[in-house]
Amino acid sequence: MKDDNCIFCLIANGQIPSNTVYEDGDFRVILDISPAAKGHMLILPKEHYANIFELPEETAKKVLPLAKKLAAAVKEAMNADGVNIVQNNGTAAGQTVPHFHLHIIPRKEGDNAMPLWTPGESVPEEQAQIAEKISKLMK
Ligand code: AMP
Ligand code: ZN
């Protein structure tokens, strides 16, 4: 399903022009319009899925192999030292466009292109409880 009010549906399906890096039957890969670093790309499914929770498993299975190829290509193209793969779900997690997308961001040593999280504290008993709670939901 496509959503005519969704900018990424319109871009992914070629109704709005973009700097396209790659396209197949399932995805369009574009350059981000406000890149964290030169070569910052977005993998967009052509169908509308708001986030990872809505993404069908068969589409999900294709995303990481594509990201792997793009990461290698952009590393070479931009002479990068590293690559971040980022994917936000929900406004609390920083998602601003509610159409699933994966960011691929080439990085140079010391470029400060992306803030990393602040490492927190962990309490052993709490860690064990959290692990058990999540683990139960995986069954
Ligand atoms: P997120 O915060 O994970 O939802 O990321 C949304 C990304 O989409 C941001 O990095 C924006 O710069 C990018 N973006 C928004 N509109 C466009 C557009 N028209 N073309 C390309 N990238 C866009
Ligand atoms: Zn969409």
Side-chain angles (χ1 to χ4, degrees), residues 7-8 11 30 32-34 42 88 94-97 101 103:
I7 185 155
F8 280 2
I11 292 173
I30 64 167
D32 195 294
I33 204 165
S34 307
L42 302 172
N88 301 323
Q95 185 177 15
T96 58
V97 181
H101 52 280
H103 297 260

Side-chain angles (χ1 to χ4, degrees), residues 98-116:
H99 174 122
F100 175 93
H101 52 280
L102 194 85
H103 297 260
I104 298 171
I105 305 171
R107 300 294 304 276
K108 297 262 195 201
E109 225 45 82
D111 65 6
N112 280 325
M114 247 191 68
L116 291 179

Side-chain angles (χ1 to χ4, degrees), residues 1-3 6-10 45 47-49 98-100:
M1 198 196 80
K2 279 95 179 162
D3 178 345
C6 170
I7 185 155
F8 280 2
C9 278
L10 297 173
E47 295 290 316
H48 183 84
Y49 311 113
H99 174 122
F100 175 93

